[in-house]
Amino acid sequence: MQVTMKVDKATLRRLFSTSGPVVSTYFDLAAFPDEDAWPRWHALARRLSEQGSDPATIEALTRRVSISLPGSGVLAMFAANGGLLLAVEMAGAHQPDLAINAPLPRVLPLLAWLQERPPYVLAIVDRTGADLAAYPYGTVTAVRQTVTGPDDEIERNAPGGCAQLRYQHRAEDSWEHNATRVANTLTRTLADFHARLLLLAGDLRALQYLTKHLPEWVRRTVSIRRVSGSRSQDGAEKGRAAQVTAQTRQAAQEQTQALLHQLAEARGPSGRVAEGIRDTLDALARGRVQTLVVVDDPQDRRTAWFGPLPTQVSDRREVLARTAAPVTSERLVDVAVRAAVLTGAEVHVLPPGTSGAPAQGIGALCRFPAAGGQ
């Protein structure tokens, strides 16, 4: 059973604004296809109990596991104060079982999985309209709608003679009117789902009219790609699904490479790049960060300090203790991600060993230069 709660910036802000410790669990629903997964879950529950998690919170997590078993992928869950805060079934994810009760949630594996599955819209178009399927971050369930154009005169066939050209023009006018309606609906859908990937399939002439009527901001900021198939039952569904998977994966990789290129270009006297632990935390403390970039290394044990306010972060307790109370120590990357989420910054996750990653595995592209930058 696929049950996915919506993950967006507001959800993450609520997660990081939760008072008290947060339980973070990642549970592989099918580590071994023939096993009984419950003993593994009960072992995780005992671990949480030993860490001080309250019985009501563990019970809420257990109820959610029961909904998902038997299943596939990894179930990410976050809970606190006896209630479930967020649950996401991460299809296709590879993540070892994890259960931890800590001051901050462990969201990097979830963010990395979402990052590989950018929101996109699939439009299958013909001369009468289109079938649209919008996929939010990380979901395999589409929000679907059908667009029907205002004109139904779509055939160009007509008797010969002087009337043929008139029939042809009338048909092409109808195609263009229909394409305009599809373009308008498609533009709203891309904006509503914050999608920057548009996959198009269908009639070539209809697609030409459609792209002609897409607004400039779509053609400038959205990656538009072709996949196979048509609105008819042509047997192309399986092949198209494989193409969609490949295109979304490629789009995610290109997004990462584009960000790394931005970081490389902005290094130096511009002052728009923070790199390394101290500089990045300082940029977060000043609200300068536009995009935080972190390497997700499960073996990373470095810590940082944070206070109640989003910008109260530092790698030195004595610096923060002057203005913040209470002051708490937690994993460096989790402290940085909390500050980024609560100050409206984006977060981009890199795997260990990524070429071009920032020094010390943490950095940021900033909204404005540091004091003294050009």
Side-chain angles (χ1 to χ4, degrees):
M1 178 180 179
Q2 174 84 21
V3 180
T4 304
M5 291 173 62
K6 183 180 180 182
V7 182
D8 55 17
K9 290 183 179 180
T11 303
L12 293 173
R13 283 196 295 269
R14 286 194 296 271
L15 195 58
F16 278 103
S17 299
T18 301
S19 60
V22 176
V23 171
S24 305
T25 63
Y26 292 86
F27 181 59
D28 193 334
L29 296 169
F32 305 98
D34 297 326
E35 75 162 358
D36 180 359
W38 279 110
R40 274 195 303 114
W41 170 252
H42 290 314
L44 290 181
R46 285 194 299 273
R47 192 178 308 167
L48 290 173
S49 181
E50 292 165 359
Q51 295 173 17
S53 298
D54 62 274
T57 297
I58 296 174
E59 177 59 27
L61 293 165
T62 302
R63 285 196 301 269
R64 186 58 183 79
V65 170
S66 69
I67 294 174
S68 296
L69 287 175
S72 60
V74 173
L75 177 61
M77 297 182 294
F78 304 89
N81 306 315
L84 190 65
L85 302 173
L86 176 66
V88 181
E89 292 186 26
M90 298 161 49
H94 302 284
Q95 166 69 33
D97 288 350
L98 173 69
I100 187 163
N101 183 26
L104 296 178
R106 299 282 178 93
V107 298
L108 283 190
L110 174 61
L111 295 183
W113 177 80
L114 289 169
Q115 190 175 288
E116 294 173 357
R117 291 155 179 81
Y120 69 93
V121 177
L122 171 65
I124 308 176
V125 183
D126 65 13
R127 301 179 191 189
T128 66
D131 295 323
L132 307 183
Y135 292 81
Y137 266 117
T139 64
V140 295
T141 303
V143 178
R144 301 183 183 276
Q145 59 182 315
T146 297
V147 184
T148 302
D151 292 358
D152 57 7
E153 187 170 344
I154 62 170
E155 294 298 330
R156 202 162 53 176
N157 300 326
C162 61
Q164 183 166 355
L165 187 59
R166 185 172 69 252
Y167 276 102
Q168 179 176 331
H169 287 166
R170 186 182 301 167
E172 296 220 15
D173 285 344
S174 294
W175 304 342
E176 187 156 13
H177 293 161
N178 294 342
T180 300
R181 176 168 290 182
V182 173
N184 291 339
T185 304
L186 187 53
T187 299
R188 290 194 298 271
T189 303
L190 289 165
D192 289 345
F193 287 86
H194 306 286
R196 292 298 178 263
L197 176 61
L198 171 59
L199 304 179
L200 297 177
D203 181 88
L204 179 59
R205 188 68 170 144
L207 288 172
Q208 289 173 340
Y209 280 125
L210 170 62
T211 53
K212 171 185 173 182
H213 289 285
L214 289 173
E216 174 61 26
W217 76 263
V218 171
R219 287 183 273 127
R220 186 181 67 254
T221 65
V222 175
S223 177
I224 302 174
R225 309 178 185 211
R226 288 291 307 276
V227 292
S228 63
S230 67
R231 295 184 78 187
S232 62
Q233 298 298 317
D234 55 7
E237 291 82 1
K238 185 175 181 179
R240 183 168 59 236
Q243 293 173 27
V244 167
T245 299
Q247 293 285 11
T248 53
R249 182 180 298 117
Q250 182 179 349
Q253 292 170 350
E254 291 175 358
Q255 183 183 34
T256 295
Q257 291 305 312
L259 178 59
L260 292 174
H261 179 74
Q262 278 185 286
L263 286 171
E265 289 289 308
R267 283 188 177 104
S270 74
R272 289 197 61 235
V273 170
E275 195 164 19
I277 297 172
R278 185 156 297 178
D279 285 351
T280 304
L281 291 180
D282 180 72
L284 287 165
R286 297 175 186 274
R288 294 175 52 227
V289 173
Q290 175 180 316
T291 302
L292 174 71
V293 182
V294 293
V295 173
D296 182 15
D297 182 357
Q299 305 306 315
D300 187 357
R301 298 292 184 265
R302 296 174 298 177
T303 61
W305 299 86
F306 71 98
L309 300 180
T311 55
Q312 291 175 331
V313 292
S314 178
D315 63 329
R316 293 166 293 172
R317 185 183 187 281
E318 62 273 15
V319 171
L320 202 59
R322 299 171 192 158
T323 56
V327 175
T328 307
S329 175
E330 182 54 294
R331 281 203 328 162
L332 166 68
V333 289
D334 298 327
V335 171
V337 169
R338 171 187 180 266
V341 167
L342 295 181
T343 56
E346 303 290 336
V347 178
H348 201 90
V349 185
L350 301 176
T354 300
S355 177
Q360 299 182 304
I362 185 169
L365 186 66
C366 296
R367 298 183 177 104
F368 52 88
Q374 300 298 316

